[in-house]
Amino acid sequence: MSVPHPLRTPAVGLSSIARRIASGAGAYGYAQAVSIGTQLVSLPLFLHHWDMATYGAWLALTALPFYLSLADAGISTASSNQMIGLITQGQKARAAEVFQSAVAFLTSVSLLILLIVGATLLLLPTTALEVPQWKAVLMLLSISVVLGLFCSLAEVIYKATGGYAAGTYLVTTGRLVEWAGGLTGLVLTQSFIGVAASALLARLGYTLLCLWLSQRRTDFLRWGVRRASLADIKQAAAPGALFLSLSLTNALSLQGFTLLVAATLGPAATAVFNTYRTVARIVVQVTNALSNPLWPELTALKGQRDDGAFWKLYRRANRLGLAIAAAGALLVYGVSPWLLDLWTHGQIPFTATSMALFLGYAAVCSATQVPRVVLMSINRHAGLAAQSLLAAVVSLVVAWLVWGSAGMAGVVGAMLLGEALVWLTAMRAVRRLRSTKTVS
């Protein structure tokens, strides 16, 4: 019989924090490698077994259940922040109550959503889509997405107990296992239902493993709902809704500009736009490797009420983040001609002015990551969420107004304007927070 490992209280010195952040950056690098690697491998494998039209239909089907991944409404993230603070204060029993409240919420919402999806699929006519067994495929894909939410909740246990890196490895490997399961179904059956069923079986097995491993992480955070309370769910609802708002705003900004370019400048320009933006956002991904593991460390310091260490860590991380933004933009600019030629086989040429504009946008976006995480780590991101949404809308409107006269340069300039507004909002909020703490 396995015995839960006792929780080791993380050291709070800046050197130990730096080691955990470095470990978290490595885990984030692994997540990015899996994301990029699976995309690079998937296309030729799928096209080996299917034609382009069949593969396009599969992509359309898999895109529909994606929005179910937002079903937890940010409750898991908000609960994670609260649990970290409670654990650092020694309130393990309260942290367990918050966790079980999150479990109860996610279980209830998941069952409700699957019932709605199932009922909707039953009511829709089979002829609505000219895809074999599309109803069963969508149901299987929906169940896989919901199971993935429980893996993410298992990750919360790791984050709350000083194991950000381990939690990231856990969740990322789950995506890899599900992807491999889907490919196995593709090779064996060459059918949509085979791919979806194999991916679901892989996800189900890995989810059970996640639950088991997370139970061994501590002796007090247990899966169940016996200690759940509506009050804890309500307490997490407000910051959770703001986390959800930021996720939706990010999707609006990224997908919105793609749709705008497609509608105004055409499909060829869209291919150039997406390629240049993907290359430029390498800088953002590198900065995220710093800011993401920084999050639980800041939350823990806040829970310990160690404002001195909190702001010292912020200053150091922010300086490093600004250096990454500047140096990363210059480095990517230098290698982008070679990278574009290699990646696109010379079909998308390098244009100095366009790449400079895209990298200016990416550098400002990178500079925002650390102050943004400071606010989110302590649930003080209400103003940021509202202003980010406003900035996304403003930038899209500006892009729509200038595309006719300025072309793609005007669109990217509008993106840069939107990111600058978010950066100003985040920096002002952080300064206000620091001055408030100094006065108090």
Side-chain angles (χ1 to χ4, degrees), residues 386-408:
Q387 293 296 322
S388 295
L389 178 58
L390 178 62
V393 173
V394 167
S395 60
L396 281 168
V397 171
V398 171
W400 175 262
L401 294 174
V402 304
W403 74 267
S405 58
M408 189 178 296

Side-chain angles (χ1 to χ4, degrees), residues 21-384:
I21 291 176
S23 177
Y28 185 82
Y30 168 69
Q32 292 303 304
V34 167
S35 177
I36 295 170
T38 53
Q39 291 179 53
L40 292 176
V41 173
S42 290
L43 181 61
L45 281 177
F46 274 95
L47 291 182
H48 176 74
H49 294 280
W50 294 340
D51 58 27
M52 187 65 76
T54 303
Y55 182 54
W58 170 254
L59 290 178
L61 279 179
T62 56
L64 293 173
F66 164 77
Y67 295 97
L68 298 182
S69 63
L70 303 175
D72 81 332
I75 293 292
S76 295
T77 306
S79 297
S80 175
N81 279 356
Q82 189 179 357
M83 288 162 59
I84 293 171
L86 290 169
I87 291 171
T88 55
Q89 295 168 18
Q91 300 184 49
K92 295 181 179 180
R94 274 292 296 132
E97 293 172 359
V98 171
F99 176 70
Q100 292 206 355
S101 298
V103 172
F105 176 82
L106 183 58
T107 302
S108 302
V109 169
S110 297
L111 290 174
L112 178 61
I113 286 177
L114 289 178
L115 284 173
I116 292 173
V117 169
T120 302
L121 291 174
L122 285 174
L123 292 174
L124 288 173
T126 306
T127 55
L129 293 177
E130 295 181 1
V131 176
Q133 299 177 296
W134 65 271
K135 289 187 178 183
V137 170
L138 281 178
M139 194 67 213
L140 293 176
L141 292 174
S142 298
I143 297 172
S144 293
V145 171
V146 168
L147 289 175
L149 293 176
F150 283 90
C151 281
S152 296
L153 194 55
E155 181 189 18
V156 167
I157 292 179
Y158 286 83
K159 286 184 176 180
T161 54
Y164 171 87
T168 301
Y169 282 120
L170 187 74
V171 170
T172 303
T173 302
R175 291 197 292 269
L176 184 61
V177 168
E178 182 178 1
W179 172 80
L183 288 186
T184 301
L186 173 69
V187 172
L188 294 177
T189 70
Q190 291 87 48
S191 66
F192 286 2
I193 193 71
V195 176
S198 296
L200 174 58
L201 286 175
R203 170 56 74 179
L204 176 60
Y206 193 81
T207 300
L208 294 175
L209 177 63
C210 279
L211 301 186
W212 178 72
L213 290 174
S214 63
Q215 287 290 266
R216 290 173 55 82
R217 174 72 184 177
T218 76
D219 56 359
F220 63 94
L221 294 177
R222 319 303 294 170
W223 288 88
V225 297
R226 184 173 57 86
R227 303 176 67 180
S229 73
L230 184 60
D232 283 330
I233 296 174
K234 289 181 177 179
Q235 185 175 351
L242 295 174
F243 285 124
L244 177 62
S245 172
L246 286 170
S247 297
L248 292 174
T249 299
N250 187 55
L252 172 65
S253 180
L254 291 176
Q255 300 301 323
F257 274 100
T258 298
L259 294 173
L260 186 145
V261 171
T264 56
L265 300 176
T270 304
V272 174
F273 174 83
N274 279 346
T275 301
Y276 268 66
R277 185 174 62 178
T278 299
V279 171
R281 284 186 66 85
I282 293 173
V283 183
V284 182
Q285 300 304 324
V286 174
T287 311
N288 283 340
L290 165 69
S291 62
N292 284 355
L294 181 69
W295 183 327
E297 302 297 340
L298 290 169
T299 306
L301 290 172
K302 193 64 179 177
Q304 295 163 358
R305 296 182 173 84
D306 192 346
D307 286 346
F310 181 96
W311 292 114
K312 185 176 182 179
L313 179 59
Y314 160 70
R315 288 193 301 270
R316 291 185 176 183
N318 194 45
R319 285 196 294 266
L320 181 56
L322 292 174
I324 291 173
L330 291 173
L331 179 61
V332 172
Y333 183 84
V335 302
S336 55
W338 169 81
L339 188 58
L340 284 172
D341 184 64
L342 178 67
W343 189 24
T344 69
H345 301 286
Q347 296 186 54
I348 297 179
F350 170 77
T351 305
T353 302
S354 296
M355 185 56 71
L357 282 171
F358 273 98
L359 284 169
Y361 144 79
V364 175
C365 185
S366 295
T368 307
Q369 298 309 304
V370 171
R372 185 172 179 265
V373 159
V374 167
L375 299 171
M376 294 191 297
S377 68
I378 55 175
N379 290 341
R380 298 294 293 272
H381 53 292
L384 178 66

